[in-house]
Amino acid sequence: VWKAAHIAFFVADVITPTTQLTHITVADSHLGIVPYMTVGQAYRRLFISDTTIIGSSPASSCSASNFCRTQSTKDPYMTGCNSIFAPVGFRRVGFVAPFNTPNKKTCAT
């Protein structure tokens, strides 16, 4: 996945206790790989192998790619950076630590 405006690879509410991601390439995306796991009775593990994560590459050098523009309810036209990573100044994050939450993300809840 190259230059995803928001999330390149999103894993949500995986039921199996072990999830394996392999042979993935993510480059120049705002957020590369984002695991979102609901905490339940089972302990979940995420394994990533044979994967290349590139935060910013030379291929993403145009001036329109050098700043973050993300949508929010207060900024529907994406005039600013509304990312959770904006306060720390990150334009791109290759891997986000897994979200472990009791809030389910799927429609089947």
Side-chain angles (χ1 to χ4, degrees):
V1 179
W2 180 61
K3 281 191 100 154
H6 191 220
I7 298 174
F9 199 88
F10 185 69
V11 180
D13 291 339
V14 179
I15 295 172
T16 58
T18 302
T19 301
Q20 297 180 14
L21 305 178
T22 185
H23 297 93
I24 298 170
T25 300
V26 175
D28 300 313
S29 298
H30 176 58
L31 302 176
I33 299 174
V34 181
Y36 188 103
M37 299 178 185
T38 303
V39 177
Q41 298 297 324
Y43 181 76
R44 291 178 174 80
R45 293 179 183 210
L46 175 66
F47 294 94
I48 300 175
S49 62
D50 298 321
T51 296
T52 303
I53 300 171
I54 302 168
S56 293
S57 75
S60 186
S61 60
C62 69
S63 62
S65 294
N66 292 332
F67 57 94
C68 167
R69 292 192 329 189
T70 52
Q71 190 176 35
S72 72
T73 55
K74 294 180 181 180
D75 185 9
Y77 299 108
M78 300 174 288
T79 58
C81 185
N82 302 291
S83 169
I84 61 171
F85 295 102
V88 291
F90 291 135
R91 167 66 183 99
R92 295 184 176 96
V93 178
F95 179 77
V96 178
F99 289 95
N100 292 301
T101 175
N103 302 323
K104 295 185 185 291
K105 202 67 166 159
T106 59
C107 296
T109 57

